[in-house]
Amino acid sequence: MTINELKDVASQVRRDIIRMVHGCQSGHPGGSLGATDIVTALYFDQMQIDPKNFKMDGAGEDMFFLSNGHISPMIYSILARRGYFPVSELATFRRLGTRLQGHPTPVEGLPGIRVASGSLGQGLSVAIGVAQAKKLNNDNHLVFCLMGDGEQEEGQIWEAVMYAPAKNVDNLVAIVDYNKKQIDGPTDDVMNLGDLRAKYESFGWKVYECNGNDMQQVVDTLNITRKNAHKGQAQVILAHTEMGMGVDFMMGTHKWHGTPPNDEQATNALSQLKETLGDY
Amino acid sequence: MKIEVQNYKDTRSGFGDGLLEAGKRNPKVVGLTADLTGSLKMGDFAKAFPERFFQVGIAEANMVGIAAGLAIGGYIPFTGTFANFSSARIYDQIRMVVAYSNKNVKIAASHAGVTLGEDGATHQTLEDVGMMKMLPNMTVLVPCDYNQTKAATIAAAEHDGPVYLRFGRPKVANFTPADEPFIIGKAQMIQEGTDVSIFACGHLVWKAIEALPILKEMGINAELINIHTIKPLDVEAVLKSVAKTGCVVTAEEHMRNGGLGDSIAQVLALNNPRPLEMVAVNDVFGQSGTPDELLKHYHLDTPDIVEAVKKVIKRKM
């Protein structure tokens, strides 16, 4: 896809996010909006996938894992828009009986979701296990894992961060959604992450940084990581993002981490986001 | 069942040998450990299938996540560490990425209960069965001797879904037939009787067997059933036995809260309320000591089972 086409998809995904959290008056719009560009690039440009024939084991495909499961509206919209399940199902988000649970789960059989996430800090370990399975299967496709930056405060993250370079997990690309905000406020105030780049580098990772809301930079950086895969090094992208990206009043604050917009705010937000693929 | 002691072996060796056998039968079986290859007797598997063995280091949470990932990729992972670090330490991880996500992960939990011995209460988990049986999708196995633990390991590999497999450290009587297949969810009749139903699991099955001749001498004809599968519980076998005997003793190396006795109590209360006595640890932590000393101290020994039987039969009258 061209960069402009990817941007159009991202705009529709952002509309979906606003409409989903507004529709059920719950969910996490801020982080969802911030991470939209990265995951849109993965699903619509980077990953070799077969959405119409979803296979749990992902054999012969690239695979994506969302560790910070609370930004579920983003992944649901992207999976639906990519053809994993009907776009109309987005209207069921967080409602009784839905496959689109508040946090993603494979239990209801939603195509595209392979493991539950939401209890933070666990996705990278799972992604490593999947990457190890790919090696055993001589499947040279890649595993991508998106984590939150606040999530880096979980101890299990660092167990996994220590493991990947030690065991040469070089078919994995980790991405940190580095928006510098979490529920209680700026990450610097809640628990200063310090020099995250230096931390990953000291554990033996190849570290890249990009503006995670600049589609060209995102695509360029992902291209580099794909080229450098299978070269004996675990790779991580620190993707600098803006929570709430695309909706002016949701940016520059942590207030929209887990708060839905009211009717007026939703109308305002949607007026800022171009409808490109048709609303569900 | 004909009871014949073949030798004295640790149940953890049954796991190690069972894992090796499961690995030979199915190339999808993989092993993971958090720095306890030797303690879990996984060395033979690691040597036979080095590419299918993952040394994760002392990082149990990461281990269970990697296991879930391997299961997604189509493998049958067995994680191996001490029971306490296989349960309490990583309960949320097991809950979300194994049980809730319904991944085909087998959690091999060794050194369970007070018979871990001298290491003391930090390592002697007495709560793990309770935690694990509360998780939807989880199967909970507590085999009683070497042969049965080996067979249970092979059965766990063949079973599709999460399994918690609990076993222990000390060498104990190995008495079940080596060729007896392990059927998950099917209670094992050790001895038929009419006066009392004894439901035991794990190491306490042997303690209950030792109680049988003592009870016989007292004129008590006890029925002994090995509940090696705590979940799914063989409710039919339990109710059938109780209908015949009218009273129950449970015996386990676990906390009374959440253990086998607790499961049996629920079945009785809901279906056929009958007197019940529980041989179990009652709301205290363990301590250092030899396994035999600790079994005596916490009233998990043969005389305690005999006393419980006498008491429950009196209550029946």
Side-chain angles (χ1 to χ4, degrees), chain B residues 237-308:
Chain B
V238 171
L239 290 176
K240 195 176 153 199
S241 178
V242 176
K244 187 168 56 172
T245 64
C247 65
V248 176
V249 167
T250 59
E252 63 191 311
E253 195 183 347
H254 189 273
M255 207 67 84
R256 184 188 283 186
N257 284 331
L260 166 66
D262 173 300
S263 289
I264 299 284
Q266 194 178 117
V267 171
L268 296 181
L270 292 173
N271 296 280
N272 185 10
R274 296 287 165 177
L276 166 68
E277 291 294 326
M278 297 182 188
V279 175
V281 178
N282 191 12
D283 209 27
V284 291
F285 288 106
Q287 61 177 303
S288 293
T290 68
D292 285 345
E293 286 170 347
L294 290 163
L295 287 173
K296 275 192 187 66
H297 181 84
Y298 290 101
H299 301 294
L300 304 172
D301 208 350
T302 301
D304 305 300
I305 295 171
V306 171
E307 283 309 307

Side-chain angles (χ1 to χ4, degrees), chain A residues 56-57 63 65 105 107 114-119 122 125-126 128-130 132-133 136-137 156 159-160 163 167, chain B residues 28 30 51-52 54-56 59-62 65-66 68-70 72-75 92-93 96-97 100-101 103:
Chain A
M56 178 53 76
D57 66 8
M63 293 162 80
F65 288 88
T105 170
V107 173
R114 294 186 165 94
V115 71
S117 62
S119 176
Q122 303 185 35
S125 301
V126 176
I128 286 170
V130 173
Q132 296 282 33
L136 287 174
N137 290 334
Q156 187 181 341
E159 294 183 0
Y163 182 97
K167 306 292 178 175
Chain B
K28 291 293 186 186
V30 298
E51 74 289 354
R52 284 154 55 191
F54 299 88
Q55 172 59 267
V56 178
E60 295 81 7
N62 191 37
I66 292 174
L70 284 159
I72 290 169
Y75 287 86
D92 180 54
Q93 283 83 0
M96 187 173 78
V97 304
Y100 180 44
S101 296
K103 297 304 173 201

Side-chain angles (χ1 to χ4, degrees), chain B residues 198-267:
Chain B
I198 305 174
F199 301 117
C201 65
H203 290 146
L204 279 257
V205 174
W206 179 250
K207 295 293 177 191
I209 288 172
E210 287 185 322
L212 293 176
I214 301 169
L215 293 169
K216 196 177 172 189
E217 213 152 280
M218 295 171 170
I220 297 169
N221 180 13
E223 178 150 301
L224 173 57
I225 296 180
N226 173 14
I227 309 285
H228 54 58
T229 305
I230 309 293
K231 187 185 169 189
L233 189 65
D234 190 346
V235 175
E236 197 187 326
V238 171
L239 290 176
K240 195 176 153 199
S241 178
V242 176
K244 187 168 56 172
T245 64
C247 65
V248 176
V249 167
T250 59
E252 63 191 311
E253 195 183 347
H254 189 273
M255 207 67 84
R256 184 188 283 186
N257 284 331
L260 166 66
D262 173 300
S263 289
I264 299 284
Q266 194 178 117
V267 171

Side-chain angles (χ1 to χ4, degrees), chain A:
Chain A
M1 258 191 186
T2 66
I3 296 298
N4 279 334
E5 285 169 333
L6 289 170
K7 285 180 179 174
D8 280 350
V9 174
S11 181
Q12 185 65 53
V13 168
R14 288 190 162 98
R15 285 185 69 85
D16 291 346
I17 292 166
I18 295 295
R19 297 183 71 238
M20 288 165 77
V21 297
H22 174 251
C24 65
Q25 280 299 296
S26 90
H28 298 77
S32 296
L33 293 167
T36 292
D37 301 301
I38 300 159
V39 183
T40 298
L42 281 169
Y43 273 90
F44 285 82
D45 182 65
Q46 294 283 315
M47 295 200 298
Q48 287 181 17
I49 47 177
D50 187 5
K52 294 291 178 209
N53 302 294
F54 173 67
K55 298 190 301 287
M56 178 53 76
D57 66 8
E61 296 182 63
D62 294 323
M63 293 162 80
F64 173 78
F65 288 88
L66 179 69
S67 187
N68 48 335
H70 58 277
I71 60 172
S72 57
M74 177 277 297
I75 191 67
Y76 292 148
S77 167
I78 287 172
L79 289 174
R81 296 287 171 188
R82 189 66 178 83
Y84 279 89
F85 56 86
V87 172
S88 59
E89 202 168 339
L90 295 176
T92 69
F93 175 60
R94 284 187 173 233
R95 295 183 192 276
L96 186 65
T98 185
R99 298 196 292 181
L100 280 58
Q101 292 287 301
H103 294 79
T105 170
V107 173
E108 325 292 339
L110 186 68
I113 301 297
R114 294 186 165 94
V115 71
S117 62
S119 176
L120 294 173
Q122 303 185 35
L124 186 59
S125 301
V126 176
I128 286 170
V130 173
Q132 296 282 33
K134 283 208 179 295
K135 281 180 180 263
L136 287 174
N137 290 334
N138 295 312
D139 175 352
N140 63 7
H141 288 80
L142 298 183
V143 180
F144 297 88
C145 177
L146 183 70
M147 299 174 277
D149 55 354
E151 192 179 12
Q152 304 299 301
E153 292 155 16
E154 291 280 6
Q156 187 181 341
I157 292 284
W158 299 96
E159 294 183 0
V161 170
M162 189 180 290
Y163 182 97
K167 306 292 178 175
N168 297 316
V169 185
D170 59 2
N171 53 344
L172 166 81
V173 178
I175 305 165
V176 178
D177 179 14
Y178 205 177
N179 60 28
K180 288 114 193 150
K181 289 178 187 64
Q182 54 194 114
I183 302 185
D184 267 1
T187 301
D188 280 354
D189 296 343
V190 176
M191 179 51 64
N192 196 319
L193 300 179
D195 189 340
L196 198 55
R197 181 185 186 106
K199 285 186 166 80
Y200 269 93
E201 281 176 343
S202 72
F203 276 76
W205 290 64
K206 176 75 179 160
V207 182
Y208 309 86
E209 292 189 59
C210 72
N211 178 342
N213 295 125
D214 179 322
M215 193 60 85
Q216 185 69 58
Q217 278 194 38
V218 168
V219 167
D220 289 347
T221 309
L222 287 170
N223 280 336
I224 294 169
T225 60
R226 283 198 301 149
K227 208 172 69 189
N228 287 343
H230 304 294
K231 289 184 180 168
Q233 208 167 9
Q235 303 185 88
V236 61
I237 300 170
L238 304 182
H240 297 271
T241 56
E242 177 73 45
M243 198 184 260
M245 175 55 77
V247 176
D248 56 11
F249 63 89
M250 290 187 175
M251 292 163 64
T253 171
H254 65 275
K255 303 280 190 232
W256 295 92
H257 170 95
T259 310
N262 61 26
D263 292 351
E264 191 187 330
Q265 290 160 335
T267 304
N268 181 358
L270 291 171
S271 75
Q272 302 175 38
L273 298 164
K274 194 168 64 169
E275 183 180 349
T276 53
L277 304 174
D279 287 338
Y280 63 82

